[in-house]
Amino acid sequence: MRQITMDRENLMKGSVMLAKEQASASCTLQLSKEGSGILLPQLIDCKEHLLTFYVEVLEEHSLPMHLLFYVHGEKEPALEIRFGLLPKVRSMVCIDLGWLDGRELFPEAMPGTLKIVCHGRRVFREEIEKAVLSSMACFHDVKIKIEEMALRDEYPVNPELPDEKLVDCFGQDKRKSWKDKTGDLESLKARLQKQYDERDAAYPFEDWTEYGGWKKKKLKEGTGYFSSCKEGEKWWLADPLGYAYFSMGPDCVGPGSDCRVDGVEKWLDWLPDRQDAAYKDMFFESGRREAHRTPLIFSYAKANLYKVFGENWYDKWKDMMGGQLKKYGMNTLGNWSDRRLLGTIGIPYVTSLPEFPATKQCIFRDFPDVFSEEYAAQARRCAQALEEKKEDPLMIGYFLRNEPAWAFVDNLMLADEVLYNPEKTACKEKLIAFLTERYQSIEKLNASWGSSFEGFESLYRQQKDASKHSEAAKEDMREFSRRLMRAYVEIPVRECRKVDPNHMILGMRWAWISNPDLATGWENFDVFSINCYAVDPTDQIQGIVDLGVDLPVMIGEFHFGALDAGLPATGLEGVESQEDRGVAYRYYCESVAAHPNGVGCHYFQCYDQFVLGRFDGENYNIGLFDVCSCAYPEMMEHIRECSGGIYEVADGKAKRSRQKPKSIPMIAY
């Protein structure tokens, strides 16, 4: 292990060293609200593969930080390793420099720290010009204390965590007070009983159909299923009766609210024994397998419902939640909702193909070997899952998958990854055959590419950035990349249509359009989908249209969070207050409805996340309901107001809201 000393001469602009203690190898830094940090030149040519340090955020909220790697000749960082930190608690960060190879998107975090995400492309060690540990933009200057920073090869075991209680018996932040915080069981019972008494609520608008469609606009004769319809330049969804339908509602409608507790048990006021008959089914080990931890999840939300309603808590929750969503004008159960709700509570829903076809050998991250027989066979197998719901009129449609990890790299050249991957894949065979057919001889390829391959068989050996040989090479590799993407889409779509010809295919839920070629194969979908975190999604929707996509566009995720209701992080869009969350919701939804291609948007998510982090470490105030299943009243009233006028906005009879929220920089990872 080799200790790293943090010196003033390595401070970046906006960073101030407030204190330094040589004996404990610690320093206290003030970092500017624009984001600032410290250079770490030791990372450029180190032999060790782990960077570790203890850190404490000396603020009342969580803090996102990132380790940035810059390469020679580029102004922007090529790779960002972003991670989240809890407030006012000392914990260890461990960063594996092996993540520079780009294979990991969401690496493992240490107990007591939050989510880690690797943004950017693969970086080779010899390319690195500088490494910077930095805070991200915040709404004020922030202070942190860093101790015992070191380079090492052995993974740290059982890092020291402070002995204090951070979470109360309901799963709330014990150290913080806020309006509507649950103080005792009796008050919680009273609040949930009031919500339960509204369980028979219907949609509050007389001009809505039983599906939440709009009786004032009949688009077509009903087909018995949801469908799409274009009227002039405006795209619509149509409900099973043929009426105009705009889809809105929360994702993850379920009482799970997963709370990751492994390694941080000492921070909890209460955690039942895993064998306790009342609570044992509220524990589970996450399917996410990590090298050094087995994620253990407990649901405080379920436990709170049990404490209030007793053994039949689920049935009462189900009735209560259905009434709450209808009361406030939400006509869709978004993705990842409890499957027991789908088709059973009278609210339309979207879902996902339970499993997207995969192959044992991937090309890059989760991109499969799409030209293999294995991919075709897996597509046939995965499509069979649609049989169960293929005749359900409440099902709007299904997404093929969510946020493919390979597409998190901006302008990724998939064909380059085929040649960089050392394995002999079906995709590599197809690529070499494609180049052989195009050039006929290796001499012609070399002349066009400016390369010096001895023969086409040389391409079986690992090639780095083949598209950079020349403009011709770039065009060849881009063309083949589009072929890869088309196969990626068309093969599973074909099999899904065979099993379920009734429901719409809602696309891939791209995290963002990281490459214009992601639109390849759009003709196979009924709806094009993205997840879009923004105050106003208009530009992102229009960007899809500008790529030539002539389809309705559905947004699978958006949200807004604040710091005034118990959680220490805002999520991917930050606002000042709960009132602003409601304002932001209405502005966003009406912006989608006002766009000619906008047909729906689903709020992520139904419940707040856990103060110490969900399965992957997110801990955001983004719910319509808190961990005690209590609705946020400011948010819900804005939702009902939005729902009451959304169809007039979509039909061009009313303008979208002009009121924007008071935004702050996100606290998210």
Side-chain angles (χ1 to χ4, degrees), residues 345-397:
I345 62 172
I347 299 178
Y349 64 91
V350 296
T351 187
S352 284
L353 192 65
E355 184 183 353
F356 190 79
T359 55
K360 291 179 182 178
Q361 178 61 51
C362 290
I363 300 303
F364 173 73
R365 291 185 181 170
D366 56 355
F367 192 88
D369 191 5
V370 294
F371 288 123
S372 67
E373 286 299 321
E374 182 188 6
Y375 185 65
Q378 289 297 313
R380 289 190 292 273
R381 181 185 65 81
C382 292
Q384 296 305 309
L386 298 172
E387 182 74 33
E388 178 188 359
K389 295 287 187 180
K390 72 177 184 180
E391 295 180 350
D392 188 349
L394 284 169
M395 180 172 159
I396 298 167

Side-chain angles (χ1 to χ4, degrees), residues 1 22 114 135 166 193 207 213 244 254 272 387-388 446 454 466 500 524-525 559 562 565 575 584 587 606 638 644-645:
M1 187 170 70
Q22 204 69 36
L114 300 170
S135 63
L166 307 183
Q193 184 62 48
D207 59 356
E387 182 74 33
E388 178 188 359
N446 284 333
E454 295 177 0
D500 182 358
N524 293 274
F525 305 143
H559 66 217
V575 295
Y587 187 83
C606 188
H638 280 282

Side-chain angles (χ1 to χ4, degrees), residues 72 89 148 176 205 251 322-323 341 346 408 546 563 614 651 667:
H72 295 283
V89 61
E148 301 177 30
K176 188 175 179 181
F205 315 114
D251 291 314
L341 300 181
F408 273 71
D546 292 344
L563 299 174
R614 65 171 190 175
D651 203 30
I667 298 174

Side-chain angles (χ1 to χ4, degrees), residues 578-598:
Q578 298 306 302
E579 176 69 19
D580 282 302
R581 290 179 67 211
V583 170
Y585 176 96
R586 180 178 179 185
Y587 187 83
Y588 190 103
C589 290
E590 292 186 3
S591 297
V592 175
H595 194 282
N597 293 66

